[in-house]
Amino acid sequence: MNDVSTNSPVAQRPAHVTDAVTYDFDMFGDAAYVADPHKRILDLVKNAPPIFWTPRNGGHWMLMTHSANFHASRDTEGFSSEIVPQAMIKAMMAKMPPGSPHIPQPLPITIDPPDHTAYRMPLQRAFSPKAMLGLQKSIRELAVDLIEKMKAKGGGNFVDEVAEPMPVQIFLKMFGLPLERQQEYRTLVKEHMEGNQNHDPRAIVARMLKLTSIMRETVLERKENPQDDLISMLWQSEINGKPTTLADLENYCVVLFTAGLDTVVNGISHGVLHLAKNPDLQRELRANPEKIHGASEELLRRYTFTVPLRRIAKDLNFQGVEMKTNDRVMLFLPAADLDSSEYPEAERYDLQRQNSVHIAFGVGPHRCLGSHLARLELQIVYEELLARVPEFRLDPDKPVTYHGGHVVGPDAVWLRWN
Ligand code: HEM
């Protein structure tokens, strides 16, 4: 067992978990992981069992291989996204006194089919590739503005200067929310990213209530005066044949906020960190900007960074491992994308890779709804950064720092250039 003070306490191992599939790893606090996440993931891929149970953070399974993650993601009957079953949530809500505030839920990410499909449908249209192309111009303007501001300073922490403000501003623009209030949203994103380090459900609910309360005025206003934005579009949608309600709108706001902001922040930061360490790659992409799309995809594979959660919904034997109802499972997608049986020499960042189909956006019914938007944001940032900033590198005086958790990534990436 690791003897690291930041690791969570050790949970009692359930009887159905054997020694052979037990391995100690704390996805929040493991010192080597927090020091350099993907180095540690490569170490786990080599040394840990392909599916293992860790006693940390209350005890849970970790799926390491591509095959395990692929199949579990598609098996919604065995691997439920309802970490708290919907029936239980409905029963709790029914007991709340009349007039209690609506407790927003990040739907559809936390429900299973068939309801999942009904809740996903309205968002699917809003985030189609065609709809996203309409945003291209404003994403580029925003990226240029942030990059030029950082450039004028002669360097800076890329996470704070570009990676974090960019998706927040795009979120506000898509939703038609007032840009003047961006500081409130940025503070909430920061709190959400820090909250990713612990699972206090009361703190999560408090943050979600804060988010819906700052959005409510605009949400209600758009019902009366529809405009060309996402909120107005969602008001005109139906779920299971019924018009959407304020509660539905609040659920959608919450899911897009939690799923669409810190993911992009971390994605861009991983990518720019790799570029900063690899001047040859910068040169190659500056000379051949048409390669940036492929480069961005390979960055997503090499530095996959989200870890979705599932609950075992019925006792099962999964790829030879006994799992019991209510066991918790981490889809450790970062390891799946470094599985050498799927990607030869998986460790190598390789623009010529034959199999470039990664699992960074998940797979199965919950596959990322925002992948077209995310891809656009990543690609445009790389294009504009490479076009505007001369060869950049990491500031040797300011080390890169990282966080672990469900969205793993750098907190600080200080850049310098001549
Ligand atoms: C590089 C950035 C991103 C990555 C790596 C990423 C990754 C993922 C992954 C792995 C899932 C599957 C979760 C699961 O299986 O439980 C997911 C779901 C989702 N993502 Fe993303 N995401 C990104 C950006 C975005 C953006 C920009 C948005 C929207 C603004 C978004 C919205 C969603 C939504 C709504 C879901 C839930 C889909 C469902 O449950 O049907 N994501 N994302």
Side-chain angles (χ1 to χ4, degrees):
M1 294 233 165
N2 296 335
D3 184 18
V4 179
S5 56
T6 48
N7 279 355
S8 78
V10 168
Q12 170 97 41
R13 189 169 78 186
H16 64 282
V17 178
T18 62
D19 228 9
V21 293
T22 304
Y23 191 89
D24 186 22
F25 173 67
D26 188 327
M27 62 176 267
F28 292 89
D30 179 272
Y33 190 51
V34 178
D36 189 345
H38 286 82
K39 187 165 173 225
R40 176 69 166 128
I41 295 164
L42 285 166
D43 167 56
L44 288 170
V45 166
K46 285 186 193 123
N47 297 310
I51 295 174
F52 69 85
W53 185 88
T54 168
R56 302 293 174 180
N57 300 297
H60 59 82
W61 294 101
M62 296 280 293
L63 306 188
M64 302 298 290
T65 61
H66 191 277
S67 154
N69 280 284
F70 183 86
H71 291 291
S73 301
R74 292 160 65 98
D75 173 9
T76 56
E77 286 179 13
F79 293 80
S80 170
S81 290
E82 299 190 5
I83 307 309
V84 180
Q86 277 297 311
M88 204 183 270
I89 293 181
K90 284 188 183 138
M92 270 174 350
M93 297 237 188
K95 281 194 199 140
M96 286 169 63
S100 302
H102 163 244
I103 309 283
Q105 293 187 62
L107 303 185
I109 210 165
T110 52
I111 41 170
D112 296 330
D115 280 350
H116 166 264
T117 319
Y119 280 92
R120 186 174 159 110
M121 208 92 82
L123 291 178
Q124 195 127 22
R125 264 197 302 136
F127 285 91
S128 67
K130 194 165 157 238
M132 290 307 105
L133 280 180
L135 279 175
Q136 203 164 4
K137 188 164 165 274
S138 36
I139 296 177
R140 194 171 297 279
E141 282 168 3
L142 187 54
V144 168
D145 179 53
L146 293 168
I147 290 166
E148 286 294 338
K149 281 190 183 132
M150 180 184 72
K151 191 177 167 189
K153 290 184 191 169
N157 177 3
F158 180 81
V159 180
D160 285 346
E161 301 289 337
V162 181
E164 183 256 327
M166 174 139 165
V168 176
Q169 293 188 16
I170 289 166
F171 175 84
L172 298 181
K173 182 160 179 54
M174 276 190 84
F175 273 77
L177 292 162
L179 205 60
E180 311 83 69
R181 296 184 72 176
Q182 74 162 290
Q183 203 44 52
E184 283 171 84
Y185 291 91
R186 286 185 65 180
T187 307
L188 266 180
V189 174
K190 285 220 167 83
E191 284 173 13
H192 172 68
M193 296 205 298
E194 282 153 20
N196 175 28
Q197 307 301 303
N198 70 56
H199 286 283
D200 180 1
R202 278 165 309 181
I204 297 172
V205 169
R207 266 200 311 278
M208 295 304 102
L209 286 171
K210 207 154 128 193
L211 173 68
T212 50
S213 80
I214 59 173
M215 296 177 75
R216 190 163 302 125
E217 196 188 321
T218 312
V219 171
L220 289 172
E221 200 271 333
R222 289 299 191 280
K223 186 172 186 189
E224 302 310 320
N225 302 303
Q227 296 187 13
D228 182 19
D229 59 36
L230 189 55
I231 295 178
S232 309
M233 209 207 93
L234 291 171
W235 271 124
Q236 286 147 31
S237 304
E238 290 188 344
I239 298 173
N240 283 329
K242 293 195 193 123
T244 43
T245 62
L246 179 61
D248 295 328
L249 266 281
E250 291 187 346
N251 292 338
Y252 283 140
C253 293
V254 162
V255 77
L256 294 173
F257 186 87
T258 49
L261 296 182
D262 64 337
T263 44
V264 177
V265 179
N266 285 280
I268 307 178
S269 304
H270 276 299
V272 168
L273 172 56
H274 182 86
L275 286 168
K277 286 181 179 170
N278 292 278
D280 288 351
L281 178 63
Q282 287 186 40
R283 257 171 254 137
E284 184 176 356
L285 298 179
R286 279 198 184 91
N288 306 282
E290 72 286 355
K291 290 190 181 173
I292 294 179
H293 172 77
S296 177
E297 287 302 296
E298 175 66 352
L299 284 169
L300 280 166
R301 180 202 67 83
R302 178 63 183 78
Y303 301 100
T304 297
F305 56 89
T306 66
V307 185
L309 176 61
R310 295 289 188 268
R311 179 180 58 83
I312 294 294
K314 57 180 182 196
D315 292 0
L316 47 85
N317 183 306
F318 180 65
Q319 300 191 347
V321 177
E322 294 300 326
M323 296 183 179
K324 295 272 184 206
T325 309
N326 292 334
D327 283 359
R328 286 180 315 133
V329 181
M330 301 296 164
L331 302 178
F332 201 40
L333 304 180
D337 270 342
L338 290 173
D339 182 340
S340 56
S341 62
E342 194 68 23
Y343 309 101
E345 291 187 81
E347 180 168 351
R348 203 152 71 86
Y349 178 83
D350 181 3
L351 280 181
Q352 318 303 331
R353 196 166 279 290
Q354 290 291 307
N355 176 9
S356 57
V357 183
H358 57 73
I359 206 175
F361 290 116
V363 64
H366 288 277
R367 190 185 178 283
C368 181
L369 263 164
S371 62
H372 306 299
L373 174 61
R375 283 188 161 124
L376 213 52
E377 293 188 50
L378 294 171
Q379 186 170 336
I380 289 176
V381 168
Y382 301 143
E383 281 170 5
E384 295 301 335
L385 187 69
L386 290 164
R388 285 163 195 281
V389 177
E391 195 165 293
F392 52 89
R393 59 191 182 281
L394 292 176
D395 185 334
D397 300 329
K398 295 186 171 137
V400 179
T401 54
Y402 298 91
H403 54 267
H406 290 282
V407 183
V408 184
D411 290 321
V413 178
W414 289 87
L415 299 183
R416 264 201 198 171
W417 51 87
N418 292 334

